[in-house]
Amino acid sequence: MRIKNQVLGNALIYLVATVFNAAIPFILLPILTRVLSPSDYGVVSMFLVMLSIFSAVVGLSMNGVISIRYFQLGRTRLAEYISTITIMLVFTTFMAVAVVFLVGDWMASITGVPMGWLMAAVIVSGVQFIINIKLTLLQVEGKAKKFGVLQVSQSFINAVASLGLVLIAGMAWQGRVLGHALSVGLLGLVVILWMSRDKLFVRPVAWREHGRDALRFGLPLIPHAIGGWLLIAGDRFIVKENLGLTDTGIYMAAMQVGMGLHMAYEAFFRSWHPAITKSITKNEVKDRRLLVRSVYKVMSGSFLALSIYCLLVWLVYPWLVGEKFSAGIWIALVFAVSAFFSACYYATAIFMHIQNRNELLAVNTFVSGGIGLVLSLILCQDFGLLGVAVGMLIGKILAFIFCWISANYVFPMPWLRPFS
């Protein structure tokens, strides 16, 4: 009962923060879709795609291990661990900048984003990594209010800066992209000062040990992160190359509306995952049937949320995005369904994290992402934007199925007998 109350209490705070956080892009959407052309919106989309790619590589996906090591290391060793990861982050960021400098012209030609902005995306992803470390610490410490304030503050600054640069300064897609970069830079500075005050940046003594441990956790996740990117961003490359930047903008607006449901799911999992990890680590949950019931309740609640969300999207979409982008309504609905299967995926992936079998997660996600991309490319030829979205949906479904099977392999539970 104590675990349930803790999860529900923090989940409510996360949900409120996420609603405010999600409301800001939705407030921006009807403004920007009426000021920017679909082509400009397409460039913004491709910048965010490259940002997600760099985020999968810069930092080597090492920040996720902090949520596990937090319960295993003392305060001093945890500070050394974080400092080691941060030093490695600086090195990988400079390496990524060097790579973009060498092949930036080629990357610009296939994305439509100038090389200078691609370099900016690398730096922004590095700073965002630091912010994510702090968000992870707040999450595992159960400080949901501070987590929400930090998260909403970044989105609020992003919105204000973007609107100011687009509406007042008269910038086009550059204003939206620069607003995003400014919000990350400002919050990154705040987080660095915050973590310094908390003495989380120290001279690491056992840096070799911590570095090897972080790499053992993070390196297998890079294919997983790339596979995840294939599921959430590779489709925009297909649209851009086959249908152009204008259709990319329409697709991006629809995706943003459809994936709004994904943010609501994330609010719950930010509270549910740490509680489940802690309970299993401390052996507080001895009956695995309780875990199975908990997962099934999560899936059922997610489906109910999906049904309500799809109805709302059908009613408000044309008003929300405006005439130039209204053709994407069916794509938005497909993305909402994709968000549901992502929720089912998250409900089972936690058990592979706990068992430190991330290599299975990496293979599963990479394979399903690849299948989704191939199907999107094939369906794009005959069904256009909708075909791309359906292909990615199939990839999401496969990712969940593969993850569920693998989770049961490393952490067997009575999925078919939850009440027996």
Side-chain angles (χ1 to χ4, degrees), residues 18-29:
T18 302
V19 167
F20 278 106
N21 195 50
I24 292 175
F26 275 103
I27 292 172
L28 280 178
L29 186 64

Side-chain angles (χ1 to χ4, degrees), residues 22 25-34 36-46 48-49 176 232 235-236 239 245-261 263 309 313 316-336 385 389:
F26 275 103
I27 292 172
L28 280 178
L29 186 64
I31 299 174
L32 293 179
T33 52
R34 287 166 172 82
L36 300 180
S37 68
S39 179
D40 285 336
Y41 218 81
V43 177
V44 173
S45 173
M46 296 310 297
L48 296 176
V49 167
R176 178 67 185 93
I232 65 174
D235 51 343
R236 273 158 278 176
V239 175
L245 279 174
T246 297
D247 279 340
T248 303
I250 295 173
Y251 188 84
M252 171 66 175
M255 181 200 70
Q256 191 170 345
V257 173
M259 294 301 287
L261 181 62
M263 297 182 183
Y309 195 82
V313 169
V316 306
Y317 189 82
W319 170 84
L320 185 64
V321 301
E323 183 179 352
K324 292 184 295 184
F325 293 82
S326 61
I329 184 170
W330 285 104
I331 301 166
L333 294 172
V334 171
F335 269 110
L385 293 179

Side-chain angles (χ1 to χ4, degrees), residues 231 235 251 333-342 372 375-376 386-399:
L231 282 172
D235 51 343
Y251 188 84
L333 294 172
V334 171
F335 269 110
V337 178
S338 295
F340 164 72
F341 282 102
S342 290
L375 290 176
S376 292
L386 184 59
V388 176
V390 170
M392 300 311 289
L393 169 60
I394 295 173
K396 287 282 189 182
I397 295 173
L398 291 175

Side-chain angles (χ1 to χ4, degrees), residues 373-408:
L373 268 187
V374 171
L375 290 176
S376 292
L377 183 59
I378 294 172
L379 294 174
C380 175
Q381 312 305 318
D382 294 324
F383 301 100
L385 293 179
L386 184 59
V388 176
V390 170
M392 300 311 289
L393 169 60
I394 295 173
K396 287 282 189 182
I397 295 173
L398 291 175
F400 161 58
I401 294 173
F402 294 161
C403 183
W404 198 354
I405 294 173
S406 299
N408 189 60

